[in-house]
Amino acid sequence: MKKWMRVLMVIICGLSLAVFISCTAVENDTATETFTAAETTVSSYAEDRALIEDLMARYMFALDWRDLDTYALTFTEDGILDIVGLKWQGREEIKTAIQGPATDADSEGNSNDGLYPATGRHNITNIVIKIDGDRAYGRAYWFHVGNDNPERSAVLNSYGHYEDEMVKVDGEWLFSKRIIYNEQMAEWIGSAENPSW
Amino acid sequence: MKKWMRVLMVIICGLSLAVFISCTAVENDTATETFTAAETTVSSYAEDRALIEDLMARYMFALDWRDLDTYALTFTEDGILDIVGLKWQGREEIKTAIQGPATDADSEGNSNDGLYPATGRHNITNIVIKIDGDRAYGRAYWFHVGNDNPERSAVLNSYGHYEDEMVKVDGEWLFSKRIIYNEQMAEWIGSAENPSW
Amino acid sequence: MKKWMRVLMVIICGLSLAVFISCTAVENDTATETFTAAETTVSSYAEDRALIEDLMARYMFALDWRDLDTYALTFTEDGILDIVGLKWQGREEIKTAIQGPATDADSEGNSNDGLYPATGRHNITNIVIKIDGDRAYGRAYWFHVGNDNPERSAVLNSYGHYEDEMVKVDGEWLFSKRIIYNEQMAEWIGSAENPSW
């Protein structure tokens, strides 16, 4: 074989190799991107909504079981808890604000005499969520049931709604602001305008 | 270099270019498709369910705050609202049908004397959803709480369930038919058979 | 054209064909993988959560409408139903355990006299779900409303919470264990520690 033929062969092999690497690279890229899509579906409404619904449910468990650390951690570091008129900012302030008694029974220290402890349960329904990148806006209903009576019978105590702002921090959704409206107190009721959209 | 060698070089370069373009095209295709998957996950159960849950929650806010336009827009243009016995079709008819007073207090015009306005809140739970392309079938529970009494205390008023049909129109899920069953009225109760699956 | 030139042409064509097939293969792979991602988003939190929420809602319809077969099928074949103190394992055992009367009215056989049948409705809220591959852990609140009284008026009867374990069997999420806590009975109440996370 002549010298120029060997040179030509080298060129062909080189080109083919380059194309092969290029194709392989595409294949790897594809695998990676598709995997990422399947794993996190980063910009999916469903994914963000699912995580926020979970946050809102964990908030309730922490609140009703007086797990104040977990409760405070559902807020961002500078998050705001606002019960219309009273407002707290930051996890420490929020924790202090809600660390009172869980039920009237506990505060009076006597209505539990001879009975198992009374409990109170906040429930969330009708969750509306709008996502805008790493920010989210929520509206939802809440109502409270409890059994702080001698029969430990279930009683509906109060209801209202939430107006929320959430932020995604390091992949985790947290409340940056939660406003709680309550229809059982004149000074805590919400606006007459639909707060949703 | 001889003439045929130059011709050969041109052929090799041409082929390589063709392959390169082909590979690049694949890469672009891939990027596009993966992006679409991540953005919308078109045929995902979670995505459709998330949008429908949001619709069902927005419906409640619009209903309870008497935001009749927003309420009517949760239905398709020829959507049906059926409260078992009474049935309305189309947004205008639906809007007219529900534009009565929000609470007994409002209708009687006196029980609000000296008090802040009473409110009523419909809550949805137990949402079952089946998706079939651009159509969906839903079952869910509802209950109503209100405070139309002199103490503005929270009272459970009624409960029942929904049997829904939804359609995806231009990417937005809407009610094409909502039937409301109510367990507080003999003529409005549902079937004794499980309406779900 | 000389012999070696023909050989070279064959080599170039062969290489190009190989590259073309390789690229096409990548394209097919890509299409398949992306399709899969869009169709099922296998490892998506939202997808798993959506299916589990649907399971939890269908469970309630089956329970309240006394659809015992459908109810039992929400459990795995060796699934456990535990109401704190009483425990049943397997679909047949579970079905037998819950096949009693739906309401006191039914059991007494008289309080329905002259009235339409009374109903009871279990509602689920505050659903917390953690996914670990084909296993999931859930916490949620429940409360029960009914109208077993002469006025068929809506009454809140009881509330409590669930502690659940779910397994994905052939793509379908089922309860492998559901523990039901009830705050209306001293022996059925839950722990004083937050059962969630």
Side-chain angles (χ1 to χ4, degrees), chain C:
Chain C
M1 203 153 62
K2 296 197 179 146
K3 193 190 171 187
W4 63 261
M5 277 181 69
R6 279 189 294 248
V7 170
L8 189 62
M9 285 306 194
V10 168
I11 292 170
I12 292 170
C13 288
L15 279 169
S16 297
L17 190 64
V19 169
F20 178 75
I21 289 167
S22 160
C23 283
T24 308
V26 170
E27 192 160 20
N28 284 340
D29 260 24
T30 306
T32 309
E33 284 185 53
T34 306
F35 183 75
T36 306
E39 273 293 298
T40 64
T41 46
V42 175
S43 51
S44 148
Y45 176 68
E47 200 66 24
D48 288 325
R49 184 180 171 97
L51 293 169
I52 291 171
E53 283 185 4
D54 202 68
L55 169 75
M56 291 180 166
R58 286 184 282 108
Y59 169 103
M60 293 304 207
F61 271 92
L63 174 63
D64 291 333
W65 265 267
R66 317 310 295 157
D67 179 355
L68 306 188
D69 287 322
T70 302
Y71 179 85
L73 286 169
T74 62
F75 288 85
T76 58
E77 287 193 19
D78 59 349
I80 293 168
L81 174 62
D82 183 333
I83 57 166
V84 190
L86 283 171
K87 197 192 259 193
W88 303 279
Q89 180 155 21
R91 290 171 180 166
E92 278 312 307
E93 219 175 285
I94 288 172
K95 211 168 125 177
T96 307
I98 68 147
Q99 70 189 3
T103 65
D104 289 343
D106 296 335
S107 66
E108 292 168 11
N110 60 357
S111 72
N112 279 334
D113 282 0
L115 288 173
Y116 59 94
T119 48
R121 298 286 183 259
H122 294 83
N123 296 260
I124 191 165
T125 62
N126 300 2
I127 302 175
V128 177
I129 296 173
K130 193 192 285 182
I131 309 285
D132 181 15
D134 281 346
R135 304 196 73 83
Y137 304 90
R139 298 292 183 268
Y141 285 24
W142 65 264
F143 65 94
H144 183 271
V145 298
N147 62 359
D148 186 15
N149 55 62
E151 295 77 29
R152 290 287 177 265
S153 61
V155 175
L156 174 70
N157 306 117
S158 54
Y159 66 86
H161 77 277
Y162 295 121
E163 299 190 9
D164 297 321
E165 289 178 27
M166 278 82 56
V167 181
K168 200 174 190 176
V169 182
D170 298 332
E172 188 188 14
W173 284 101
L174 298 169
F175 292 110
S176 51
K177 187 175 188 179
R178 162 157 274 190
I179 310 180
I180 308 178
Y181 294 92
N182 185 326
E183 298 295 320
Q184 270 59 62
M185 299 282 281
E187 61 271 37
W188 288 348
I189 63 170
S191 152
E193 296 279 301
N194 181 1
S196 180
W197 38 83

Side-chain angles (χ1 to χ4, degrees), chain B residues 130-145:
Chain B
K130 193 193 285 183
I131 309 285
D132 182 15
D134 281 346
R135 305 197 72 84
Y137 304 90
R139 298 292 182 269
Y141 286 22
W142 66 264
F143 65 94
H144 183 271
V145 298

